[in-house]
Amino acid sequence: KEFGGGEADVKASLPLMVTPKMPRFARVGDKFKCGAVVYNYEDETGALTLTARATGAVRLNGGEQKVNVAKGAAKLVTWDCEAVENGTAEVSFAAQAGKESDGVVSTLTVADVEKQQTLALYSATDAAEEQLLEKPASVNENVPARAAATLASTALINLRGGMVYLLTYPYDCLEQKMSKIRPVIEGAKMIEDFGLGDLTAYKQQTQQILDEMTQYQSDDGGFAYWPGALPDPYVTAYALETAYRAKQEGYKVNDSALQKAVTWLTGVFGQKNQRRAYPYSAAEDETVRAYAVLVLSLYGQKMDGQFNNLYAKRNSLSASAQAYLLLAANQLDKGADIKMKLAQELLNRAQYGAQTVHFSVDGGQPWLHMTDVKVTALSMEALLVVGDYLPRPYQAVKWLTDQLGKEGHWINTSANAAVMSALNAYYTLKEATEPDFSASVALNGKTVMDAYFKGRFLKPQQGSWPFAQVYQSGPQARMLFSKNGAGTLYYTLWQTYAPAAYTDTVNAGFEVSRQITDLQGNAVTEFKEGARYKVTLKTRSTASASFVVLEDFIPAGFEIVNTSLATESQAQADLLNNAEWGGFTRDEKYDDRITVFADYLSAGEHEYSYLVQASVEGEFAYPSLWASQMYDPAVFGRNATTRAVIKP
């Protein structure tokens, strides 16, 4: 009928049929039942002989079994199996009843219990620096393990996408216009040195935007996001700062319009009837006041009283307000003690990863476009410019460049401009010397890598060595990074290996846990074949993070239930409520794991749940649950390896 014919009367003769009942995969050490269901459709005696064999990575105990299956009935016949090594296994089942027979072959892959892990550090040296490597405990020697190093002559990478994004952004409110031109005004040398675009064209566009500023100015002097709209304190301060820095670099500005805006901006201090576009929160109001102190001081305003009021409550200000106030202290020529105290308050908010440092936004502050990226850029720039207070600032640079999106830029124009300003400050203060140096890596006293860097060279160079070479003399090794010539050597060192099992939990940025209940919500530790369970994954972190992945590797006797299928129970699907702002928003399901993603994961606790069915009797490895940053895998968390028992 499918192909256009008439009624079909097809009779299939199936006197005997065998179908397998096996895990879809296994892990080394799993013990389970290899089974086959035999269907007897015609044999009157019901006397059947079943034979099973295994080759490859699975060992099967026993071979032939004789069973009695009545005509029209079916029976499950099982053998004890064990996954003994990595690789592929074939398990075959054959049934014989009189002259009738049938058989089937199942193929499955046996893998390691735990996935590979990466341990890394990021550092820099102006001469030579030695690192001690220790061989991780419980290394699976059957899986290739390596140490690797990347060498570079600059901490600034992947800048072109952010620059192109700013200069071609199609929506033109005043904030976006100012954000377009800030990197050109402040970072012309960086743009030219790294070949980030046509500097002459960029400068022409900058002057054109400066000429258009008055279109966004209200009658009472404040600047607005859009022509004819109510003025806004933040965008007024942003426009004034941008225009001030442009004038310093030789651009033409409308001085009378700027002075009118200066008078309006002073109204953020005490004028309750001042017309504003947006309802700031308390944190936003304090941040704007700190920013106004900085900007108004650029225009010669004496802001000592306003500075002192904010300084008195410095420990309760947001990180962004503290960064602005630190810059204001520098501009107002406050004493070293005041600047040091402000810097220390800001440094107390720093959040350290294995290779990075960053700062988090406080209380959202959406009207000021504050994100972790922008706050980190502001904090890094303030700490660098005022007094070089930030230890290992290249780690903040690395965190910022790690936050680049797939399109090569940061989340919005405001963040892009802040990052470009911060990177320009780093470049000016830390990479003023044009690189011209040779570099080498020595492993246990023997040179294993040489490199040479000349000029503004963004491409890194990499080397890699197997554990057998690294640890041939014992459980420790020494790696010496050396540089000879002008410039700074930036390097990343990491180890990648697969452990046999984990006996402890690790919180290196994320705390993770797994809870399993039946469908009524009761906690379970032992599972019954054929039953379904709800798995809830929990993560907790003290800092927000970008591009986070959560991986839960299921026991081989489980199957993940796809609740999106029309044949699945809606009531069971309703047990899962994973819609959460700032949390995990999508997943990918595989035979052996579920992978859950969050483009942005806010600080605090988050949950994600899914359903599994216990399908095969046995005792199985239950690998660790992992949370990690996709672009910084050394920031991670996991729990311990356990086992799961599925009973008949």
Side-chain angles (χ1 to χ4, degrees), residues 349-353 358 360-361 372 399 506-513 537-550 580-584 598-607 626-629 632 634-638:
R349 295 175 175 270
Q351 299 174 18
Y352 295 93
H358 76 282
S360 291
V361 65
D372 287 0
W399 187 88
V506 172
N507 179 353
F510 295 103
E511 178 184 339
V512 299
S513 63
L537 312 177
K538 296 183 179 182
T539 65
R540 178 185 290 275
S541 60
T542 58
S544 56
S546 300
F547 299 104
V548 178
V549 59
L550 188 62
E580 181 187 29
W581 182 88
F584 297 100
D599 289 348
Y600 173 77
L601 190 70
S602 61
E605 185 172 289
H606 298 274
E607 293 185 358
W626 287 79
S628 62
Q629 289 187 224
D632 191 359
V635 179
F636 72 98
R638 61 159 175 78

Side-chain angles (χ1 to χ4, degrees), residues 544-607:
S544 56
S546 300
F547 299 104
V548 178
V549 59
L550 188 62
E551 292 179 285
D552 197 23
F553 295 81
I554 65 171
F558 280 9
E559 293 182 7
I560 297 175
V561 178
N562 187 348
T563 55
S564 66
L565 297 177
T567 52
E568 289 295 337
S569 164
Q570 186 59 47
Q572 292 184 8
D574 290 343
L575 294 173
L576 312 177
N577 183 14
N578 292 321
E580 181 187 29
W581 182 88
F584 297 100
T585 56
R586 64 184 181 89
D587 64 42
E588 295 177 0
K589 298 179 177 70
Y590 303 90
D591 282 349
D592 64 337
R593 70 194 185 281
I594 182 171
T595 307
V596 189
F597 300 93
D599 289 348
Y600 173 77
L601 190 70
S602 61
E605 185 172 289
H606 298 274
E607 293 185 358

Side-chain angles (χ1 to χ4, degrees), residues 127-177:
E129 195 168 85
E130 187 177 69
Q131 299 291 349
L132 176 66
L133 287 77
E134 294 190 0
K135 187 176 182 180
S138 188
V139 175
N140 186 336
E141 302 293 350
N142 295 321
V143 180
R146 308 186 72 82
T150 297
L151 310 181
S153 60
T154 177
L156 310 179
I157 58 173
N158 299 328
L159 302 181
R160 183 179 298 276
M163 197 72 201
V164 171
Y165 170 73
L166 282 174
L167 271 296
T168 60
Y169 193 75
Y171 309 113
D172 280 335
C173 74
L174 184 59
E175 182 279 324
Q176 290 152 355
K177 284 180 178 289

